[in-house]
Amino acid sequence: QVQLVESGGGLVQAGGSLRLSCAASGRTFSNYVMGWFRQAPGKEREIVAAIYWSSGRTYYADSVKGRFTISRDNAKNTVYLQMNSLKPEDTAIYYCAARRGVVILTANTYDDWGQGTQVTVSS
């Protein structure tokens, strides 16, 4: 049974940093893409960043380029999202997700999801 467990969310002031973690278990993820999505109240779930588990190749949404960094630790089966220079508009629930194959921007193409972690950025 696949499990994705996020942690690391919280309340931070604008300009601050947080690091989210996603601990993955239940399968071998070598042929998978791991994505970080976020959903703010009243908005659709949107992709923030993604990483190919095997190659480490990354994708970023334009809104977070230069501020967020996605990475993975194969030994710990964990994916990270380092978020710097946070803005109030980054406030959302952040979800970790997995899909087999290539990066797709649409949330409903991802098979496995974590429970989400709240990130709140105050101005």
Side-chain angles (χ1 to χ4, degrees):
Q1 182 177 349
V2 173
Q3 275 198 314
L4 303 177
V5 180
E6 302 100 333
S7 61
L11 173 63
V12 65
Q13 287 189 330
S17 298
L18 283 173
R19 188 177 80 155
L20 305 183
S21 300
C22 172
S25 61
R27 73 153 68 96
T28 300
F29 288 91
S30 56
N31 294 323
Y32 277 74
V33 167
M34 305 299 292
W36 282 101
F37 287 77
R38 66 186 181 188
Q39 188 164 20
K43 294 190 176 181
E44 291 190 357
R45 194 169 296 191
E46 62 175 359
I47 193 166
V48 173
I51 188 166
Y52 286 84
W53 195 281
S54 56
S55 70
R57 187 156 53 102
T58 57
Y59 162 86
Y60 295 95
D62 287 342
S63 58
V64 306
K65 278 181 183 175
R67 300 189 298 123
F68 290 11
T69 303
I70 188 171
S71 62
R72 88 270 190 245
D73 184 328
N74 289 344
K76 295 182 178 179
N77 244 28
T78 299
V79 177
Y80 303 98
L81 185 68
Q82 177 67 42
M83 305 185 295
N84 298 329
S85 302
L86 281 162
K87 305 175 181 180
E89 51 263 44
D90 294 318
T91 296
I93 299 174
Y94 283 70
Y95 298 91
C96 177
R99 75 178 306 277
R100 187 179 179 89
V102 299
V103 173
I104 302 290
L105 306 186
T106 308
N108 63 14
T109 66
Y110 286 72
D111 302 311
D112 305 298
W113 290 86
Q115 80 287 354
T117 185
Q118 177 71 47
V119 171
T120 303
V121 184
S122 63
S123 56

